[in-house]
Amino acid sequence: MEEKEKKKHRAKHSGPKAEKKRKRYLSDLGIGDEENARKRNPKAFTVQSAMRMARTFHRTQDLKTKKHHIPVVDRTPLEPPPVVVVVVGPPKVGKSTVIKCLIKNFTRQKLVEIRGPVTIVSGKKRRLTIIECGCDINTMIDLAKVADLVLMLIDASFGFEMETFEFLNICQVHGFPKIMGVLTHLDTFKNNKQLRKTKKKLKHRFWTEVYPGAKLFYLSGMVHGEYQKQEIHNLGRFISVMKFRPLTWQTSHPYVLADRMEELTNPEDVRINPKCDRKISLYGYLRGAHLKNKSQIHMPGVGDFTVSDVSFLPDPCALPEQQKKRSLNEKEKLVYAPLSGVGGIVYDKDAVYIDLGGSHAHEKEEEEVRPNHELVQSLISTHSAIDVKMASSKVSVFMDSNPLGSEDVGQEFVMPKEERQIDSKTGRVRRKALFEEEEKENDDAVSDEDDDQDEEEAAMSEDGSNGDAEEESDRELLGEEVALGRAKHLKAEVAKEEAVNELPAFADSDDDLEMSSEGEEGKTALEENEMEEDDDDEEEEQRTYENESSDSEFEAASKRVAESKPYEINSEKRSQDLDHSLKRKAALTTDSGNCTAEEASEEASESEVENSSLDEGDGEEGSHDELDVEESDRKGFQHTQTKEADSNRQTKLKAVEAEDDDVENLLREEEDYEEKIDFSADTTGALKWKEDLIQKAAQAFLRQQRSTPSLRKLIYGTAVEDEDHESEDAGDELGGLFRVSRPDKASKQKANALDCSKFLIEKLQDWDLEEVMSSIRDCFVTGKWEDDKDAAKLLEEDEELYGDFEDLETGVVHKGKPAAEDDESGSEEEEEDRKTSKPEPEEEEKKKERMDKKRKLKEMFDAEYDEGDTTYFDDLKEEMHRQAQLNRAEFEDQGDETRVQYEGFRPGMYVRIEIENVPCEFVLNFDPHYPVILGGLGNSEGNVGYVQLRLKKHRWYKKILKTRDPLILSLGWRRFQTIPMFYIEDHNGRHRLLKYTPQHMHCGATFWGPITPQGTGFLAVQSVSGTTPDFRIAATGVVLDLDKSITIVKKLKLTGFPFKIFKNTSFIKGMFNSQLEVAKFEGAAIRTVSGIRGQIKKALRTPVGAFRATFEDKLLMSDIVFVRTWYPVSIPTFYNPVTSLLKAAGEKDSWSGMKTTGQLRHERGIKLKQNKDSLYKPIVREKRHFNKLHIPKALQKALPFKNKPKNVEKKGKTPKDQWRPAVIREPHEKKISALLSALSTVNNYKIRKAKVKRREQLKEYLKVKQKEDEQKFKRQKEAKKKVYRILGQREKKRQKSSLKGSGKGEKNM
Amino acid sequence: DFEASFIRLIDKVTNGSRIEINQTGTTLYYQPGLLYGGSLEHDCSPSRGIGYYLESLLCLAPFMKHPLKIVLRGVTNDQVDPSVDVLKATALPLLKKFGIDGESLEIKINRRGMPPKGGGEILFACPVRKVLQPIQFTDPGKIKRIRGTAYSVRVSPQMANRMVESARSILNKFLPDIYIYTDHMKGVSSGKSPGFGMCLTAETINGTILSAELASNPQGQGAAVLPEELGQNCAKLLLEEVYRGGCVDSTNQSLALLLMTLGQRDVSKVLLGPLSPYTIEFLRHLRSFFQIMFKIDTKTPEEEHMGGEKVLMTCVGVGFSNLSKTIR
């Protein structure tokens, strides 16, 4: 730049070079450095003033503590989700160009069009999700809530625009993400000085708005439609090293910025009713907090939903595996932007295209990233499928309903068949039932494909290749997918993707699958002709069972029959068994090659509690058995039945899994144990029990051994089955609610009997016996301690450590025994043995011991040392850190599937979220330019109630807000319209309604709306539609309180008139309408307009509503009396979420909700009819006319003379002769008088001057005099001092001499 | 009966609840309101002990809008529910671990009332908290002392001493530091029915408190119980509780788990004895309500003489914060 060339040389003032120079200079002077200065002139460095020092110390400490933030537990996962970078700015400022340049900078790829979020790998540890934010205030609000970093583009040639400030204010309210300004259009400046000035001005304005020193980037000019490479590179560098502070709302709520949307609705439903609610799946990185399945979410712009299913997928844009290299290689620089068509899929308005080839990047990506690469390959290989998909993609079906190709027609033909089956079977529309049918078809159709895919899968070395589970989940998913118009071949890809994660398939989900897909599986098995003979009969049973389940009426009936417990149990068990056997079979059929391995792995994944050797089925049975046992224990009935079932099961299992020997063993054990338990249950005689106590103990131990593994299943597993069971007879309206304790009725009955938390002990152990007593001996302090905590041991160790010490009092020197000696003396033989065998280890051990000791000492020292300056803050921080470590470590070693169960889906995962009952407009009007956000809601945040806010009208908003006018709030994730009521809190805590918000003051507001945690910020706008040149944010504030009742009151004055006035008592009418009302107000304070205070006393009989009141003074008949009362205001329960995403594509920013009365009046041209009385009129005051004071004659006489009215005679006109003539001067006289007056003026002036002078002189004189006096006084004082000193000395001398003289005498005294 | 009383109690502590019971009393529709708190009084049905009501209040009290201060009247000690003494001794220290402490956390027994007529009165006060602390409570430690209360109302005061003697005879084999208070209530503070009983707590060096209790049969029901026998049985129950072990005694397992669930989004751990059926049921409810699953590891003590096996429960809190507390 030119200005740089102009710059003069400046000597360095800092840095090593300057330092050196200074030193040299100082040494030349002979002064030396600072330390020397300290030595040279110690006085200058001493404490000058203690107060001052304390103050400075205080101040520094204040500054230091001011920097502290409240420490929070760091909950960021190890692999964080991509950073959300929001590029925001007014239109035509170059947002998309910046995004494109950034993407190109990071990935060397050029994107043509950018729609929706783009995820890129920007570094070894950082990914970015870049998203553009339009000027629609809805988008701005939504994106401000999810942004981690905001790139605020500013057109330097124009300056700041309203959008910028609006966005800044939105950010401030919803937690302040990092904000970086980027100035563009700098090339428009021709004048250099002008440019510099503008830059500076903009920078300082930006700083006041964000924080002083906020980073502002300058993008100077465009080269071939792109920004300069170096500048973009720098920007990218800044972005990728940026650090972020966690924002409260974001860290406490899970959220997903969806980067892909698919529709899963059954096409038939859409065909029947194109406006039916849709089922969609959304994809994206999970951010913020852990997401739980079935939790509530809010989609800003759409509404509240319950997640129907969540699953995690392999990361489509994963960070590089190993971290050793310096930089990323080309293959690792990934881009993922499905909405923009980079992920291989392009969304068009009415079709979905898959980008097959050509694009170099795409291919690379597929090779590198996609684990499900072969699926895509298979997709690509089946070209026809693509066509199918293109044609059958949901959107096309309803957008232009006619173009269905021949293939499609065929497929459509298939669909109804399936549907028909559904209809015939069950009148109710249950998803599961649907899948059952569809799946069958699927399997037929896909079986061959599946086979080779399976092989591929086996080849794929992904996590464990749990083929079966995948298979199952596949099928289920496929079932769903089929709903998408037989586009399954293509969708298989998706399904496969899911399959990988669906295998979380641990007990419950698997069971789910089994239960749902039992029937089909059986049938498929049949069709595949690979059934084994043993199972045929069971198969039949199974089929009957299945029939039951399928046939609704019959099912209900059978259920009723099955109310008798044993049967139910039996059937259930059988079905369970069958599940397992069938599943195994299915496994056999599908992949005959490596069935055992897969089985094992699958089972491992399923039982996964601990016993990997334990077969999954067995585990299942285990839990069942326990239930049995419980039942038999409690009721002791139907044991034979269960046994039968057991034996059945055994045989079956044997047949199926002859290879697993240990399973059988376990089974037998189980049976044994069961018998024993029964035995015990039967013979609960105390004596007998005592006899075989040891045996019992052993049994108990065994039982625990057996039972503990399935403790988890006992608690959760059974519940899952219940769920299934419930959903099986889903006739009842409970829906999502499932009763937990259905099968173990015994326990339920118990619970019914008495709901008590006490853990009653059935059989008390005999605590008189020695063995039993010894079993808890060590629980007491008197018992044996563990090695590291044993007091004696510790003491010993301490002695070793602090062995050598000298007792100062006694002077005795204690010497600790050397440890080695101790060892030798203690266990010499042992040592010798060891020595002979391993002399070296011995030495090592010693060394180790020494090291240990050293370490211990060091730790102790550290601890002591640290204790000195640890503050509360440090402690807190340390604690938080520890908690964070624990959080990370706790579930680290577990597989993702298990982790998900315990802690939910953790942030950083790429998840697929299924949502049902989404309005069809969302799908129809889907526009990838608008962000789709899924914001998780906390507990009870889905509820609606009264919310109290502290609110302030924004200072830039031009109008004040009116109570009871609808207002659009953005609070939490939500945007909604509601009717707030403004109030102000009076000094006595009363909430008084306000008609308008105050101009420049906070006020309270209450509205009916979603419950949001206290402390959450919000902003209000009056409308989200259209654009106005004015500032759009009307108010900001914070949530204070949530309540179910409200306390806003408004003033109500009741007026009345006196109709009879005694002295201070008046009768007042017209205030109330009945005696009862008066009775309610007895004792209330009333007042007249003129200010006379009074009290309501008692109601009068007539007229009705009149009462007697006393006042502090007599009223006039013209007085108006009023009583001030407070009337509670009800808040309109109006809560209307802004559904801007449901608007048609072009008009998403035109959402308008309820209008204000003002708007309506304006639109319809209705004038407000004003109350005539409340209009202001000119005040007309009559001139008051007072009569003359008339004093009666008698009174006049009695008055003293002073007060008597004087008989002042009326002064008549003075007669002419008494008039004094006017003096008219002669000209000469006039002159004289003028001269005289002039002279006198001069004289006067002179006199005045002289006076002033005199005064000054006097002052001077006084000063001198005072000085003299002072000196005199001083002199005198000194003289006096001298004299006194002499006197004093004399006195002292005298005293001394006297002391000397009487010294001995004193001592003697 | 007691359910109705319980519903009334819940109605009292909340604001804006909707409760509808149909005419036959077979269905109940309950729409929860906001926990309000404040100073309240409630007459509990004498068919269940106050412990029944108090247990649920312990779960709710930290999340009220205003600190709860409630006077409950009814049966303080009975054979079914955990008595007020036990809850006072065990639940309050447990709450303290979660950061719910302060002077106002207390349970005071003003009067004792035994079944069937009751007449007892307690005061329960609890402060409110915005969030709970996560706990890591995996080492119960060794038992350092045993304390307890032997109470007797409207019977001979000698009963209490007799119970104490017999209990000590058993417990002295394990630990010398035993002190059992005798609490004989007289006059108006002794309730309306005679009875006696005893509750024992064992405190470890790490602050874990295990408890056991036993009460005499209510008047006119069942055979008379000898105080010696009762004392012995109670001591044995305590030993049984010690055998089960854990950091939280069996009565409060569910409370501990609930508070863990309602904590911040941090990992909490607690070591429990064998789970009681109530707790198991409770865990299922937790799952259905909060979508929270606990990681359950069973641990057999390494040494022989440390009692039965334990269960290590681990969970990540749901990040619950008290929505009803007002901020200024």
Side-chain angles (χ1 to χ4, degrees), chain A residues 965-1063:
Chain A
D965 261 359
L967 200 62
I968 295 168
L969 294 185
S970 155
L971 175 62
W973 295 119
R974 294 187 165 93
R975 286 178 275 126
F976 54 89
Q977 196 177 33
T978 188
I979 297 181
M981 304 282 260
F982 304 117
Y983 65 82
I984 200 153
E985 190 171 325
D986 284 347
H987 54 86
N988 56 359
R990 177 196 298 134
H991 292 163
R992 184 159 52 84
L993 185 78
L994 293 177
K995 280 188 179 169
Y996 296 91
T997 55
Q999 272 278 6
H1000 305 293
M1001 214 169 64
H1002 283 288
C1003 69
T1006 299
F1007 69 89
W1008 169 260
I1011 297 284
T1012 319
Q1014 302 94 332
T1016 314
F1018 77 92
L1019 67 92
V1021 288
Q1022 285 231 292
S1023 99
V1024 291
S1025 60
T1027 49
T1028 50
D1030 290 337
F1031 195 70
R1032 279 179 287 186
I1033 295 166
T1036 55
V1038 72
V1039 178
L1040 289 186
D1041 198 3
L1042 310 160
D1043 212 335
K1044 293 278 179 184
S1045 58
I1046 31 141
T1047 51
I1048 301 181
V1049 288
K1050 76 177 179 191
K1051 194 160 65 183
L1052 179 71
K1053 280 184 183 170
L1054 306 175
T1055 53
F1057 309 95
F1059 66 92
K1060 206 168 210 181
I1061 296 171
F1062 303 101
K1063 273 182 183 166

Side-chain angles (χ1 to χ4, degrees), chain A residues 73 75 251-254 289-290 292-295 506 508 609 634 701 704-705 707-709 711-712 714-716 718-720 723 738 740-741 744 747-748 750-751 753-761 763-768 772-786 789 879 883 886-888 890-891 893-894 901-903 938-941 950 985 1011-1015 1038-1045, chain B residues 2 15-16 32-34 36 48 52 55 65 78-83 130 134 136 139 141-144 146 170 173-176 204-205 213 233 236-237 239-244 250-251 253-254 264-269 274-278 280-281 283-285 287-298 300 302-309 311 313-328:
Chain A
V73 179
R75 297 198 180 89
T251 47
S252 58
H253 292 82
H290 293 292
K292 299 235 156 53
N293 204 349
K294 305 267 187 281
S295 56
F506 96 80
D508 46 355
V609 186
R634 284 172 199 145
F701 183 69
Q704 278 158 1
Q705 283 293 318
S707 71
T708 49
L711 191 56
R712 200 190 122 106
L714 179 73
I715 294 167
Y716 293 125
T718 50
V720 167
E723 187 180 3
F738 51 85
V740 186
S741 56
D744 47 351
S747 76
K748 198 189 172 190
K750 199 185 166 203
L754 212 56
D755 180 23
C756 176
S757 66
K758 247 189 184 173
F759 192 0
L760 291 170
I761 299 159
K763 285 164 233 143
L764 199 64
Q765 296 190 55
D766 191 352
W767 291 103
D768 295 334
V772 186
M773 264 164 66
S774 70
S775 70
I776 59 164
R777 183 65 76 189
D778 287 348
C779 291
F780 295 89
V781 277
T782 48
K784 211 177 88 204
W785 290 68
E786 289 110 72
K789 282 185 199 153
E879 201 175 300
Q883 183 67 46
L886 183 75
N887 288 354
R888 292 230 177 90
E890 182 56 36
F891 297 110
D893 48 345
Q894 260 145 353
Q901 289 286 333
Y902 290 131
E903 47 171 26
N939 298 87
S940 76
E941 277 175 37
R950 187 194 296 131
E985 190 171 325
I1011 297 284
T1012 319
Q1014 302 94 332
V1038 72
V1039 178
L1040 289 186
D1041 198 3
L1042 310 160
D1043 212 335
K1044 293 278 179 184
S1045 58
Chain B
F2 60 87
N15 176 12
L34 207 91
Y36 200 77
R48 290 293 292 262
Y52 172 76
E55 269 187 317
K65 193 180 206 67
D78 71 348
Q79 293 182 314
V80 183
D81 290 305
S83 71
K130 190 148 194 300
Q136 269 71 47
D139 184 16
K142 308 258 184 202
I143 291 165
K144 65 174 175 188
I146 292 177
I170 288 194
K173 292 175 200 163
F174 296 95
L175 202 69
T204 68
I205 49 172
E213 62 161 330
N233 285 339
K236 282 175 185 173
L237 279 179
L239 293 179
E240 184 71 31
E241 189 66 42
V242 170
Y243 178 79
R244 285 172 179 164
S250 59
T251 322
Q253 279 174 355
S254 53
Q264 295 291 87
R265 289 176 192 273
D266 290 321
V267 170
S268 290
K269 285 176 167 191
L275 302 180
S276 66
Y278 182 84
I280 290 173
E281 203 73 2
L283 281 171
R284 291 179 190 152
H285 289 315
R287 193 180 74 133
S288 61
F289 200 76
F290 290 110
Q291 309 290 331
I292 278 276
M293 264 177 91
F294 278 78
K295 185 176 153 198
I296 303 163
D297 301 323
T298 46
T300 20
E302 319 83 49
E303 286 163 72
E304 193 66 9
H305 303 301
M306 286 293 280
E309 52 153 24
V311 187
M313 309 288 285
T314 312
C315 83
V316 183
V318 291
F320 181 84
S321 70
N322 185 359
L323 285 178
S324 41
K325 193 165 179 259
T326 313
I327 61 166
R328 291 277 157 212

Side-chain angles (χ1 to χ4, degrees), chain A residues 732-827:
Chain A
D732 37 47
E733 322 66 41
L734 273 173
L737 283 172
F738 51 85
R739 268 171 265 136
V740 186
S741 56
R742 197 104 189 275
D744 47 351
K745 283 208 171 128
S747 76
K748 198 189 172 190
Q749 275 178 4
K750 199 185 166 203
N752 268 349
L754 212 56
D755 180 23
C756 176
S757 66
K758 247 189 184 173
F759 192 0
L760 291 170
I761 299 159
E762 281 96 39
K763 285 164 233 143
L764 199 64
Q765 296 190 55
D766 191 352
W767 291 103
D768 295 334
L769 284 175
E770 198 54 44
E771 301 101 85
V772 186
M773 264 164 66
S774 70
S775 70
I776 59 164
R777 183 65 76 189
D778 287 348
C779 291
F780 295 89
V781 277
T782 48
K784 211 177 88 204
W785 290 68
E786 289 110 72
D787 293 344
D788 52 333
K789 282 185 199 153
D790 197 346
K793 264 252 166 75
L794 279 176
L795 216 74
E796 224 168 78
E797 268 175 38
D798 272 1
E799 213 159 83
E800 276 171 27
L801 281 176
Y802 303 108
D804 300 320
F805 70 92
E806 194 178 349
D807 193 330
L808 287 173
E809 275 181 38
T810 54
V812 178
V813 180
H814 294 263
K815 279 209 175 157
K817 284 187 224 163
E821 209 179 278
D822 203 22
D823 267 4
E824 271 165 14
S825 64
S827 55

Side-chain angles (χ1 to χ4, degrees), chain A residues 428 548-549 551-560 728-729:
Chain A
R428 30 183 132 137
E548 283 170 21
S549 70
D551 207 316
S552 62
E553 263 103 315
F554 184 46
E555 180 196 351
S558 70
K559 278 279 133 100
R560 239 172 284 131
E728 203 72 16
D729 52 17

